[in-house]
């Protein structure tokens, strides 16, 4: 920050409004062109990664200074041991949410506060209230359609049943497109992505709350971690109230450890895997493009991309496990990840029957090819390889938009 009664200079200017900062810079440099100064300033604001960091630090300093008389120091720290691929920027514009590990009273719920005119205080509407969704996402629910509530029950086609309608079942119904009704939600663009993230977070919080208040039903007191606490003489009031997530909760430590142990047992029994296969979603799939609305892109419909990918994945695994395109399959394991460019992909390990395991060069050549297929005999496969598995010069070095030219010299190319 500049000293008292002193004008801002250099990086201090970027804390101001761009127009005001440009006028100060022009005043200090009357012999320079305003257009050039504006170009430099706009370039730094748009491309320099430290500009938003300085602004964020400035906001933090203002808040801390207002609440404390002691001087506050903020430093920008870079950890050289951090994974560069994990902390780099995503390649697509996506909406994310930060879920605190230990929520405070402020961040525990996403409430809407209504202040009554009689001065009696605030009325809270949390995410479990039917009016939460139409009040929070006004554009997605223009008619004020009510959301999920704890009193909803399942409908068997004639009457309501005694089975409670869960949080996830309700949103599964709302996210599935029906030709008989116009879905405002699926046409929300970035607001739809925010809605999806908020729905997932509230559904996950709903599950966690149930587990937290039903530890006795889960017999959590028999878990090894609780027993060790008792053996060490740690009372609940000393170590806090333990909350153990069972292996049935997807993503919990016990769930991850259980599927890891299962995978290792399969590998130990069937020896090494024979095929490591990767399948990536393609936003240009016809099934995706045909279902997009007007002016929509695949990134606007992550639900559609995930649904089509799952159908394609099941079809691929059916070809491998039922039709035995690689041979008789005795076991397989897979995991699904979402890349920073927003597309899901699957990594699968395929275990073949002992007599059909891949051991020779000839067997490898049956399944792995590093050359272009014949364009006349299999034009569809040739076009797929040309579009998806070959990377050539880009940008100014290829004015024809990376069009592949097949010549005798490049008929043998490794797949990227």
């Amino acid at each position: 920050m500049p000293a008292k009664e002193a004008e801002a200079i250099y990086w201090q200017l970027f804390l101001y409004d761009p127009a005001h900062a440009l006028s100060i810079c022009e005043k200090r440099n009357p012999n320079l062109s305003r257009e050039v100064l504006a170009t430099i300033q706009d370039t730094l604001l748009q491309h320099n990664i430290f500009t938003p960091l300085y602004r964020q630090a400035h906001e933090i300093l203002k808040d801390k200074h207002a609440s404390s008389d002691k001087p506050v120091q903020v430093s920008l720290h870079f950890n050289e041991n951090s994974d560069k691929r994990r902390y780099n920027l995503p390649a697509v514009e996506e909406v994310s949410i930060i879920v605190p590990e230990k929520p405070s009273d402020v961040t525990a719920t996403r409430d809407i506060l209504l202040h009554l005119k009689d001065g009696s205080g605030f009325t809270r509407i949390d995410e479990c209230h039917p009016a939460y969704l139409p009040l929070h996402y006004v554009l997605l629910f223009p008619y004020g359609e009510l959301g999920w509530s704890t009193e909803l029950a399942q409908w068997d086609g004639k009457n309501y049943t005694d089975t409670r309608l869960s949080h996830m079942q309700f949103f599964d119904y709302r996210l599935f497109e029906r030709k008989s009704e116009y879905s405002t939600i699926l046409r929300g663009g970035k607001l739809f992505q925010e809605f999806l993230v908020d729905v997932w977070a509230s559904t996950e919080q709903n599950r966690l709350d149930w587990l937290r208040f039903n530890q006795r039903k889960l017999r959590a007191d028999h878990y090894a971690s609780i027993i060790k606490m008792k053996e060490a003489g740690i009372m609940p009031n000393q170590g806090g109230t333990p909350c153990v997530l069972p292996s049935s909760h997807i993503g919990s430590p016990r769930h991850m450890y259980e599927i890891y142990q299962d995978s290792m047992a399969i590998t130990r029994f069937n020896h090494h895997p024979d095929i490591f296969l990767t399948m990536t979603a393609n936003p240009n799939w016809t099934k995706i493009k045909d279902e997009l609305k007007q002016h929509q892109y695949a990134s606007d419909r992550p639900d559609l991309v995930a649904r089509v990918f799952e159908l394609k994945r099941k079809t691929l695994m059916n070809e491998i496990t039922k039709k035995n395109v690689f041979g008789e399959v005795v076991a397989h394991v897979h995991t699904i990840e979402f890349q920073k460019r927003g597309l899901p992909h699957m990594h699968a390990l395929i275990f073949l029957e002992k007599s059909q395991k891949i051991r020779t060069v000839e067997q490898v050549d049956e399944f792995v090819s590093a050359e272009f297929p014949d364009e006349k005999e299999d034009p569809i496969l040739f076009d797929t390889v040309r579009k998806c598995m070959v990377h050539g010069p880009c940008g100014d070095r290829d004015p024809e938009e990376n069009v592949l030219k097949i010549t005798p010299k490049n008929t043998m190319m490794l797949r990227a």
Side-chain angles (χ1 to χ4, degrees), residues 360-372:
T360 65
V361 176
E362 290 74 15
Q363 289 176 309
V364 174
D365 290 339
E366 290 182 8
F367 305 124
V368 180
S369 175
E371 61 182 7
F372 285 104

Side-chain angles (χ1 to χ4, degrees), residues 332-347:
H332 68 276
V333 295
H334 75 272
T335 180
I336 296 178
E337 302 172 352
F338 281 80
Q339 301 171 344
K340 289 194 174 183
R341 58 192 179 97
L343 297 175
H345 67 275
M346 174 188 68
H347 297 304

Side-chain angles (χ1 to χ4, degrees), residues 8 10 17 24-26 60 62 123 141 144 158 187 195 203 233 241 266 286 291 313 318 367 370 383 387 390 409 412:
Y10 304 119
D17 179 75
I24 296 177
C25 191
E26 185 182 18
I60 296 175
K62 285 200 306 184
T123 297
F141 301 92
K158 297 181 180 180
R187 293 168 171 83
F195 175 77
T203 303
T241 303
I266 293 174
T286 306
E291 297 299 325
R313 186 198 68 80
N318 183 69
F367 305 124
D383 189 61
K387 289 181 178 179
V390 178
K409 293 183 179 180
M412 290 289 291

